[in-house]
């Protein structure tokens, strides 16, 4: 089954977490999802200005933006109609800072996964989010 290629801007300051996500997607066999990583909000702003992304995968706490709500709002303003998938290991603390209509799941649980389903779940969530205009938080 061939999928349409998806270009993801992954806004993540932790290099290991960025690699973990990419590895999980590859393990799921979804090789036509490509990632560009921005390690700061400033870098994300530059990359968003250039455009061309199908999905923004967003960590809420970055070296130059430690307030989750401000991080989210800044990216939401810049990305236009591009869907955002919030991927944060601090969802227990930060979910209250996000708008009420965003569903939240903890990244640590879903990357660790159970029964080997984590990579498939994450790849499917990325693809599903990129093809919709919904904002999800995992």
């Amino acid at each position: 089954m061939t999928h349409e290629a998806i270009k993801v801007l992954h806004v993540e300051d932790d290099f290991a977490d960025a690699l973990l996500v990419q590895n999980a997607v590859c393990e799921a066999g979804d090789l036509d999802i490509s990632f560009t990583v921005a390690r700061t909000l400033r870098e994300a702003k530059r990359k968003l200005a250039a455009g061309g992304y199908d999905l923004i995968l967003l960590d809420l706490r970055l070296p130059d933006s430690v307030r989750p709500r401000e991080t989210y709002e800044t990216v939401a303003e810049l990305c236009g109609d591009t869907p955002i998938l919030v991927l944060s290991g601090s969802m227990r603390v930060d979910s209250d800072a996000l708008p009420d209509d965003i569903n939240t799941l903890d990244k640590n649980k879903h990357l660790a996964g159970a029964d080997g389903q984590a990579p498939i779940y994450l790849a499917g969530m990325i693809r599903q989010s990129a093809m919709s205009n919904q904002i999800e938080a995992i």
Side-chain angles (χ1 to χ4, degrees), residues 17 20-21 23-24 27 87-89 105-122 138:
D17 281 356
L20 186 61
V21 168
N23 187 51
E27 281 183 23
L87 181 66
S88 180
L105 299 171
D106 191 292
K107 161 175 95 169
N108 298 316
K109 291 179 186 176
H110 288 84
L111 286 179
D115 301 326
Q117 295 300 308
I120 295 168
Y121 175 81
L122 181 59
I138 65 173

Side-chain angles (χ1 to χ4, degrees), residues 10-80:
H10 189 180
V11 184
E12 172 61 68
D13 63 312
D14 187 316
F15 184 71
D17 281 356
L19 284 177
L20 186 61
V21 168
Q22 291 177 34
N23 187 51
V25 169
C26 287
E27 281 183 23
D30 214 332
L31 303 176
D32 55 354
I33 296 176
S34 65
F35 293 90
T36 299
V37 177
R39 297 185 72 182
T40 64
L41 187 58
R42 182 178 180 191
E43 185 180 357
K45 288 177 184 179
R46 275 196 319 270
K47 291 181 187 247
L48 284 168
Y53 296 101
D54 300 307
L55 178 71
I56 311 304
L57 191 57
L58 178 64
D59 185 11
L60 295 173
R61 294 180 182 263
L62 302 167
D64 58 345
S65 183
V66 295
R67 293 187 179 100
R69 181 79 178 216
E70 289 176 20
T71 303
Y72 165 77
E73 288 175 350
T74 299
V75 170
E77 287 175 18
L78 295 171
C79 73

